[in-house]
């Protein structure tokens, strides 16, 4: 049925009545097919392949005009946040704080891990399927009716950004918090003309093929969200980045402040809900952004009367900071497939213990933060029974094995939490995974080592990885006959999860702690599998 829907979409035939008659699940999958048709095949750093004569932000304004949203979004009281690291966490903290202050909140973040609706949150909850479909098809049909050769359908992220404006306007949120997708200056969200306040999180080297090869160039893109005379906050930055941010602020007469890192004592015994010391930086920025938002919208005095902006944190702020939630960032998930329940509903492990530590770090700076968090998290569990091998460059973290696994996510398709998980691995290209394994083995051995070159042999070895691999003493790690005691390449993620589960099922004394990192898409795929 969804392929029939896609054929009609591709032929620009209106399918509104047909879709409204579909069962909810079918209509939702049809929406995913429609979204998938908006994915461009453009590679990073390449010139945009979108047709038409208009630039991205011009197109965004035209899409908003078609949907009669141009005037409406001026009424949204927006917090706009750019940055390299921590912008999702900062936005999530802001949403939780202002929700605890009693406001109806809208939060737009990216990417999603399991379901596209994660990107749109109303009062802390992802928008329901019914509401998503109502707003989605309304936007889709109106845009489809008005596309021309000069104004094609928007690519995926632009459509999702337009959809966020539609949802937040329709849901009449009191505050809308927008996380920049990529960069800032030319990002789709930068169609926002009059935010209440802007923020820039910690900057680092990321997306260099698009944003530039220096911190100054990257900072220039991020500071592109500044608007004349609109207050902005940032965190401590390297001087190369801070100089550019301050220069841009000066040009636009932007009141710019450096938000102080949150003093843990101000939480008065509570803990930040997001793990890692770096979250104190993000939380401090969120506090400054929320205080400014409350003050500029006339709500600070209403809520906190004569309380000083520089005084103690209001209780609502502390509640928000201790309850904010974002998946895939310093998240610990225990696999419940190995857990049974007694008659008194008390956990009882009938086999080993399998715990996943999930963090989507994918830049050098964020990977270092991830390493520190993981080291701290596992050091709290001193009774681990697995053997370990020390990797000196990872903050003293001990690993017994490394598994290199391709993600399930297809970059040409948007899926939902209920989408079928592909199991066909015969044609999976594992070149990147074997390249990473070669690098890992070089780190361990201090020299280049060969890996199996024949594709068929590689997949057979990985598919039939013996359980004994896990128990081999990694301290005596040495490659023999193209078998590696320190690492392995696995041909699929479902196979890897099942292999780990089988290992702990066979050994009741085993406590297996697995760090999943390097990609938010991979983290999302693991979470999707753990749910099933």
């Amino acid at each position: 049925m969804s392929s029939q829907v896609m054929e009609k979409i591709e032929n620009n035939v209106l399918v509104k009545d047909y879709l409204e008659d579909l069962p909810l699940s079918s209509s939702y999958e049809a929406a995913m097919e429609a979204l998938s048709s908006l994915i461009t095949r453009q590679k990073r750093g390449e010139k945009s392949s979108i047709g038409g004569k208009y630039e991205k932000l011009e197109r965004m304004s035209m899409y908003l005009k078609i949907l009669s949203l141009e005037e409406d979004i001026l009424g949204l009281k927006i917090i706009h946040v750019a940055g390299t690291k921590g912008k999702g966490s900062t936005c999530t903290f802001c949403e939780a704080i202002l929700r605890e202050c009693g406001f109806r909140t809208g939060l737009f973040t990216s990417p999603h891990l399991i379901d596209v609706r994660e990107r749109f949150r109303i009062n802390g909850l992802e928008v329901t399927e019914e509401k998503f479909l109502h707003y989605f098809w309304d936007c889709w049909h109106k845009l489809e009716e008005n596309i021309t050769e000069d104004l094609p359908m928007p690519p995926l992220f632009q459509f999702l950004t337009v959809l966020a404006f539609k949802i937040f306007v329709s849901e009449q949120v009191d505050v809308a918090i927008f996380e920049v997708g990529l960069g800032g200056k030319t990002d789709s969200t930068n169609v926002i003309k009059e935010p209440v306040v802007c923020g820039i999180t910690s900057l680092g080297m990321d997306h260099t093929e698009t944003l530039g090869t220096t911190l100054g160039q990257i900072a220039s893109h991020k500071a592109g969200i500044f608007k004349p005379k609109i207050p902005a906050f940032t965190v401590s930055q390297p001087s190369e980045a801070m100089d550019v941010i301050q220069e841009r602020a000066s040009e636009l007469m932007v009141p710019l402040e450096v938000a102080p890192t949150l003093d843990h004592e101000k939480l008065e015994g509570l803990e930040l809900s997001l793990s890692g010391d770096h979250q104190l930086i993000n939380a401090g920025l969120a506090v400054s952004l929320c205080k400014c938002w409350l003050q500029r919208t006339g709500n600070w005095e209403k809520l906190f009367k004569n309380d000083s902006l520089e005084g103690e944190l209001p209780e609502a702020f502390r509640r928000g900071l201790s309850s904010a939630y974002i998946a895939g960032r310093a998240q610990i998930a225990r696999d419940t497939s190995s857990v049974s329940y007694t008659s008194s509903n008390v956990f009882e492990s009938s086999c080993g213990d399998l715990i996943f530590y999930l963090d989507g770090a994918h830049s050098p700076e964020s990977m270092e933060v991830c390493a520190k968090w993981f080291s701290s998290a596992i050091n709290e569990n001193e009774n681990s029974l697995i053997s370990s091998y020390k990797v000196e460059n990872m903050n003293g973290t001990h690993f017994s094995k490394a598994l290199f696994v391709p993600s399930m996510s297809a970059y040409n398709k948007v899926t939902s939490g209920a989408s079928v998980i592909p199991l066909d691995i015969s044609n999976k290209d594992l070149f990147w995974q074997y390249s990473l394994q070669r690098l890992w083995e070089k780190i361990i051995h201090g020299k280049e080592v060969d890996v199996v070159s024949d594709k068929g042999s590689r997949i057979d070895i990985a598919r039939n990885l013996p359980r004994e691999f896990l128990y081999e003493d990694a301290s005596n790690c040495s490659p023999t006959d193209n078998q590696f005691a320190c690492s392995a390449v696995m041909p699929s993620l479902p196979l890897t999860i099942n292999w780990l589960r089988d290992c702990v099922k066979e050994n009741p004394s085993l406590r297996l702690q697995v760090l999943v990192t390097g990609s938010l898409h991979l983290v999302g795929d693991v979470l999707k599998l753990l749910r099933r």
Side-chain angles (χ1 to χ4, degrees):
M1 185 176 293
S2 60
S3 62
Q4 295 170 358
V5 172
M6 271 306 298
E7 184 178 351
K8 293 188 177 186
I9 290 170
E10 290 169 356
N11 291 330
N12 292 324
V13 176
L14 296 181
V15 292
K16 183 175 182 180
D17 294 337
Y18 175 69
L19 290 166
E20 286 178 348
D21 291 337
L22 287 174
L24 182 62
S25 58
S26 298
S27 182
Y28 195 71
E29 287 305 310
M32 297 304 101
E33 298 264 13
L35 278 176
S36 298
S37 73
L38 301 180
I39 297 176
T40 64
R41 302 302 183 266
Q42 176 186 349
K43 293 182 180 178
R44 280 188 179 184
E46 287 184 349
K47 189 176 168 137
S48 174
S49 59
I50 306 302
K53 65 180 182 181
Y54 304 106
E55 295 295 326
K56 181 195 292 185
L57 294 181
E58 288 182 288
R59 290 199 308 270
M60 283 294 296
S61 294
M62 296 172 79
Y63 296 140
L64 292 171
K65 187 173 183 179
I66 289 170
L67 298 174
S68 302
L69 289 172
E70 269 194 322
E71 295 299 319
D72 290 331
I73 67 172
L74 293 175
L76 289 176
K77 295 179 173 60
I78 294 173
I79 297 176
H80 198 192
V81 180
T84 303
K85 301 168 288 180
K87 58 183 186 289
S89 298
T90 299
C91 288
T92 302
F93 278 133
C94 285
E95 186 281 326
I97 289 170
L98 293 176
R99 175 162 40 89
E100 289 291 345
C101 286
F103 296 99
R104 182 169 175 78
T105 60
L107 174 64
F108 177 61
T109 59
S110 60
H112 63 274
L113 298 184
I114 297 175
D115 196 291
V116 71
R117 290 181 295 113
E118 296 167 25
R119 297 176 184 243
F120 316 94
R121 292 183 178 265
I122 303 294
N123 274 348
L125 301 175
E126 59 191 52
V127 66
T128 64
E129 282 195 16
E130 292 87 346
K131 284 187 175 182
F132 175 85
L133 288 173
H134 172 73
Y135 297 129
F136 173 86
W137 290 117
D138 184 47
C139 289
W140 182 276
H141 298 315
K142 286 177 180 175
L143 291 175
E144 191 180 44
E145 289 167 2
N146 288 276
I147 61 173
T148 64
E149 185 176 344
D150 289 332
L151 186 69
M153 284 291 281
L156 179 64
F157 187 74
Q158 289 180 43
F159 183 91
L160 295 175
T161 304
V162 169
L163 181 58
F165 286 120
K166 173 68 175 179
I167 292 173
F168 296 158
V169 166
S170 301
E171 290 293 314
Q172 299 181 319
V173 298
D174 298 315
V175 56
I177 301 150
F178 279 82
E179 176 192 356
V180 166
L182 174 63
K185 186 185 303 179
T186 59
D187 185 71
S188 300
T189 63
N190 208 28
V191 74
I192 297 168
K193 294 178 180 177
E194 297 180 16
V196 174
V197 61
C198 296
I200 297 181
T201 65
S202 301
L203 298 183
M205 303 300 291
D206 196 14
H207 299 289
T208 53
E209 69 292 325
T210 303
L211 303 180
T213 56
T214 68
L215 269 181
Q217 291 171 333
I218 290 171
S220 179
H221 274 275
K222 308 295 184 181
I225 68 170
F226 288 172
K227 300 301 183 295
K229 300 182 180 179
I230 300 294
F233 292 84
T234 187
V235 299
S236 294
Q237 306 281 7
S239 58
E240 182 183 357
M242 188 64 82
D243 289 346
V244 173
I245 293 172
Q246 290 175 332
E247 181 180 352
R248 181 60 177 163
S250 179
E251 289 172 0
L252 296 176
M253 293 186 287
V254 167
L256 176 68
E257 294 184 36
V258 176
T261 299
L262 181 69
D263 183 348
H264 191 271
E265 292 183 2
K266 288 196 171 185
L267 290 172
E268 297 185 12
L270 294 177
E271 296 289 332
L272 286 180
S273 57
L274 305 183
S275 301
D277 291 342
H278 63 289
Q279 292 295 359
L280 291 170
I281 298 173
N282 300 326
L285 179 57
V287 166
S288 293
L289 291 170
C290 288
K291 284 182 175 180
C292 182
W293 186 91
L294 288 164
Q295 187 181 36
R296 296 200 72 221
T297 56
N299 285 294
W300 179 267
E301 291 184 357
K302 289 180 185 176
L303 290 174
F304 307 115
K305 297 185 172 57
N306 297 322
D307 289 355
S308 168
L309 282 166
E310 307 304 322
E312 297 299 317
L313 275 184
E315 183 183 349
F317 277 56
R318 297 197 301 273
R319 289 199 306 267
L321 291 169
S322 63
S323 64
Y325 172 76
I326 185 168
R329 276 82 162 182
Q331 179 180 356
I332 301 175
R334 184 182 185 189
D335 181 38
T336 57
S337 68
S338 62
V339 176
S340 60
Y341 294 88
T342 65
S343 57
S344 59
N345 290 326
V346 177
F347 280 115
E348 180 179 89
S349 182
S350 56
C351 49
D353 204 8
L354 178 58
I355 305 172
F356 290 89
Y357 297 77
L358 305 147
D359 192 277
H362 55 276
S363 71
E365 295 86 359
S366 60
M367 190 63 73
E368 184 172 348
V369 168
C370 169
K372 290 177 180 177
W373 162 72
F374 180 62
S375 297
S376 174
I378 62 172
N379 284 338
E380 294 175 4
N381 302 303
E382 298 178 354
N383 296 322
S384 174
L385 297 176
I386 47 178
S387 61
S388 61
Y389 186 91
K390 186 171 183 179
V391 182
E392 297 292 347
N393 292 332
M394 289 291 283
N395 294 301
T397 302
H398 295 257
F399 290 98
S400 61
K401 309 292 174 181
L403 300 177
F404 299 100
V405 189
S407 63
M408 300 185 304
S409 300
Y411 293 94
N412 62 350
K413 185 167 179 60
V414 180
T415 59
S416 70
S419 297
V420 175
I421 293 176
L423 296 178
D424 180 24
I425 61 173
S426 57
N427 296 317
K428 199 75 174 179
D429 183 2
L430 300 175
F431 175 81
W432 177 242
Q433 283 68 40
Y434 278 97
S435 297
L436 292 174
Q437 184 193 27
R438 190 177 294 110
L439 179 59
W440 179 268
E441 294 289 337
K442 182 179 179 180
I443 292 172
I444 300 299
H445 301 290
K447 63 181 180 179
E448 293 280 357
V449 295
D450 293 327
V451 297
V452 182
S453 57
D454 178 67
K455 180 179 178 181
S457 300
R458 294 186 307 190
I459 290 182
D460 287 342
I461 290 172
R463 191 198 301 267
N464 300 310
L465 188 67
R467 308 274 188 275
E468 289 73 23
F469 165 80
L470 191 64
Y471 312 117
E472 291 172 351
D473 186 357
S475 62
N476 297 323
C477 182
S478 61
T480 57
D481 299 325
N482 291 315
Q483 301 283 350
F484 300 96
C486 299
S487 64
V489 170
M490 303 292 275
S492 83
L493 191 56
L495 182 70
T496 305
I497 299 295
N498 288 337
W499 184 83
L500 291 169
R501 284 171 168 168
D502 288 343
C503 285
V504 297
K505 284 178 182 177
E506 292 177 4
N507 189 344
S509 64
L510 184 65
R511 192 161 196 269
L512 194 56
Q513 300 173 102
V514 183
L515 172 64
V516 181
T517 191
S519 162
L520 274 170
H521 297 285
L522 179 63
V523 166
D525 289 341
V526 171
L527 286 172
K528 186 181 292 186
L529 287 167
L530 293 182
R531 282 188 178 185
R532 301 195 175 190

